[in-house]
Amino acid sequence: MKLNYKTFWRKSGLKGRWGEIYLSRLEKYKPKIFLEIGVFCGVTARNTCDYLFQVHRNNFNYTGIDLFGISKKSKEDEIEPKFLKNQKFSNPLKNLYYNYILKENLNSLDSVKNLLKRYKNNINLIAGDTNTVLHKIDLKNIDFAFIDGGHSYETVMNDLTILYQNLKGKNKVLLCDDYGKASHIPEVERAVNDFSKKRSLHINVIEDRFAEIII
Ligand SMILES: C[S@@+](CC[C@H](N)C(=O)[O-])C[C@H]1O[C@@H](n2cnc3c(N)ncnc32)[C@H](O)[C@@H]1O
């Protein structure tokens, strides 16, 4: 199957070849129940749903959690995309289209819902801080979690720990962005290392960027 990560004329955390590298991890595991932490403008969400639909038709489920503009409980050092501050585009046409014609905030629940509308029966989008949300939702059936939300040590450790408590011993996949040199965030690396060391889990570093852990 050809892996083609599309950007839908929006912003994505996975530009260029990174989108295809990400999709290759889905191809390897073919998860049915999927969690994305940090949805941003929904581009990876849409690519994930498109891929899972190709493989499983309507027999898949995607849950995405993001602050979607609401204030967070956690610290200020989450290292969020600068784009979120005032939706600045380097492409003037995009600026005109999204900020003046549509007046659409791409990191809003409504905008992402619209991008995913063809999968409305398969998706669950949640606005909130993972430091509270993950304690309230059922995580027991997740096959694959892409962890790309808050990037502070505290939040990454929170996200990994709660997923581990729900999924340990089930052979499930945790894929963390921004671990390796290609897009390094030291707090992410430290949290992933401390989490894995404590439980003697192996970290598979994918293309010097993603940390993949089987739990
Ligand atoms: C790097 S972006 C995610 C990129 C996205 N996965 C993609 O591939 O395009 C990080 C997102 O995490 C969200 N975020 C930051 N801290 C969060 C938290 N504590 N809980 C939930 N979402 C959070 C931000 O609002 C932002 O949209």
Side-chain angles (χ1 to χ4, degrees), residues 12-14 36 38-40 44 65-67 74 78 80-81 84 107 128-131 146 148-151 155:
S12 168
L14 302 177
E36 182 177 23
V39 176
F40 191 36
T44 298
I65 307 170
D66 199 289
L67 296 166
S74 43
E78 298 285 31
E80 284 166 25
L84 286 178
N107 177 234
D129 187 325
T130 53
N131 289 286
F146 179 42
D148 191 21
H151 291 76
T155 299

Side-chain angles (χ1 to χ4, degrees), residues 80-137:
E80 284 166 25
K82 288 194 189 73
F83 169 79
L84 286 178
K85 282 213 160 65
N86 47 9
Q87 187 154 284
K88 260 197 173 160
F89 299 94
S90 49
N91 179 340
L93 283 179
K94 276 191 188 175
N95 188 37
L96 180 70
Y97 183 64
Y98 287 119
N99 287 334
Y100 294 94
I101 297 173
L102 292 186
K103 296 190 172 54
E104 179 174 343
N105 173 6
L106 299 186
N107 177 234
S108 65
L109 194 57
D110 283 349
S111 177
V112 174
K113 232 183 223 170
N114 193 37
L115 182 67
L116 301 181
K117 63 177 182 287
R118 71 170 63 168
Y119 302 113
K120 65 178 189 304
N121 297 325
N122 304 80
I123 64 161
N124 180 21
L125 291 172
I126 302 171
D129 187 325
T130 53
N131 289 286
T132 49
V133 170
L134 289 177
H135 293 270
K136 295 181 187 161
I137 63 173

